[in-house]
Amino acid sequence: MLKATILVVEDEGDILELVKYNLEQAGFRVIVARDGLQALDLLREQTPDLVVLDLLLPNLDGREVCRRIRRSPQTNNIPVLILSALGEETDRVVGFEIGADDYLTKPFSPRELVLRVKAIMRRGRRDSQQQEVLRVGDLAIDPGRHLVEAQGQGIELTATEFRLLHHLAANAGRVQTRQMLLERVWGYTFDGYARTVDTHIRRLRKKLGPYGPLIQTVRGVGYRFSDQP
Ligand code: CA
């Protein structure tokens, strides 16, 4: 079986070596970039299965790299795990706002990093197993092609937003708590991260435009996808 490839973008040599070593030990193929521009150059030639991205980088910072990964149709679906020394809640939220799939704060344990990477990979595989196109009113959600269309118009979503929408729509009419969404969409739960769900829902609604209100807030409980479009 072909090894999954991970691009690690990190300017600090020690951390780069630590991350590379642990990911290789876990069976991944690792390619590296030392700054933001080098990362984007690499992404023009290769399509890794995941990007581990430091935020504070020379030349082009991690936030901008992440935004550009999300903007390009060639890289939009590649999951991004942010690494950063910035540990405040606001920075985590920024990480998710720019389209990251997960976030680890330095110092982190290499074991935790490998677990997170594997969780993201598992989610990817799960998505590709569910190939059936889901239709809700004017929306068509196609997990095989990773595509959402509203009346024939494509809507660009990140990998996590897509999973979130797919999960909500597949359970239309049923309330999903934040805890359930974290477990089923992110693949694990983490304390104090309920706001992660809210942040993603907010972005998803915005991208869905007139279809955004299909995702209803159930006060004090969670969210529900309307089964009456
Ligand atoms: Ca750095």
Side-chain angles (χ1 to χ4, degrees):
M1 206 181 103
L2 219 60
K3 283 184 180 180
T5 300
I6 298 176
L7 168 61
V8 180
V9 191
E10 170 65 75
D11 59 318
E12 287 159 81
D14 292 354
I15 298 175
L16 180 62
E17 282 309 311
L18 181 76
V19 170
K20 184 172 186 285
Y21 174 79
N22 280 279
L23 289 174
E24 283 174 349
Q25 286 296 107
F28 297 106
R29 177 176 163 255
V30 176
I31 53 178
V32 302
R34 294 283 193 150
D35 65 53
L37 288 179
Q38 206 187 345
L40 292 177
D41 280 346
L42 247 166
L43 284 166
R44 272 187 279 273
E45 298 157 11
Q46 301 194 45
T47 308
D49 299 280
L50 185 140
V51 179
V52 174
L53 179 66
D54 183 29
L55 274 192
L56 299 173
L57 290 169
N59 292 329
L60 195 66
D61 80 3
R63 280 182 179 75
E64 189 52 31
V65 173
C66 192
R67 277 193 204 99
R68 292 196 194 181
I69 287 174
R70 287 294 165 255
R71 267 206 300 267
S72 159
Q74 276 86 46
T75 55
N76 184 44
N77 292 336
I78 302 175
V80 176
L81 189 156
I82 298 270
L83 283 186
S84 181
L86 312 166
E88 299 301 310
E89 175 79 12
T90 46
D91 292 308
R92 286 197 195 108
V93 173
V94 167
F96 291 118
E97 291 282 1
I98 58 177
D101 293 86
D102 205 348
Y103 197 107
L104 260 186
T105 304
K106 292 174 185 172
F108 55 87
S109 87
R111 190 172 158 270
E112 176 75 6
L113 173 77
V114 169
L115 286 177
R116 300 276 184 109
V117 165
K118 285 183 172 170
I120 296 173
M121 295 284 186
R122 264 200 311 278
R123 282 164 2 205
R125 267 207 301 282
R126 220 160 43 212
D127 288 344
S128 59
Q129 281 163 2
Q130 301 168 345
Q131 301 288 327
E132 205 178 317
V133 178
L134 205 62
R135 291 182 195 281
V136 193
D138 292 330
L139 282 184
I141 305 164
D142 183 350
R145 290 189 301 152
H146 211 278
L147 203 72
V148 178
E149 283 184 347
Q151 296 186 309
Q153 286 278 54
I155 300 171
E156 292 280 343
L157 299 181
T158 68
T160 301
E161 289 162 359
F162 184 88
R163 272 196 312 279
L164 183 57
L165 175 64
H166 186 267
H167 180 78
L168 285 167
N171 293 282
R174 276 176 283 173
V175 179
Q176 304 290 309
T177 66
R178 289 177 179 82
Q179 194 71 16
M180 286 160 80
L181 291 170
L182 280 171
E183 271 171 30
R184 293 179 195 161
V185 176
W186 277 260
Y188 55 87
T189 57
F190 25 76
D191 288 339
Y193 273 64
R195 278 178 58 191
T196 300
V197 177
D198 299 339
T199 305
H200 276 84
I201 292 275
R202 202 161 54 235
R203 280 196 352 223
L204 187 53
R205 277 182 178 144
K206 203 169 151 197
K207 288 190 179 178
L208 291 176
Y211 304 96
L214 283 172
I215 302 173
Q216 303 166 335
T217 302
V218 182
R219 210 169 289 277
V221 185
Y223 296 98
R224 175 179 53 210
F225 198 90
S226 172
D227 55 355
Q228 293 159 333

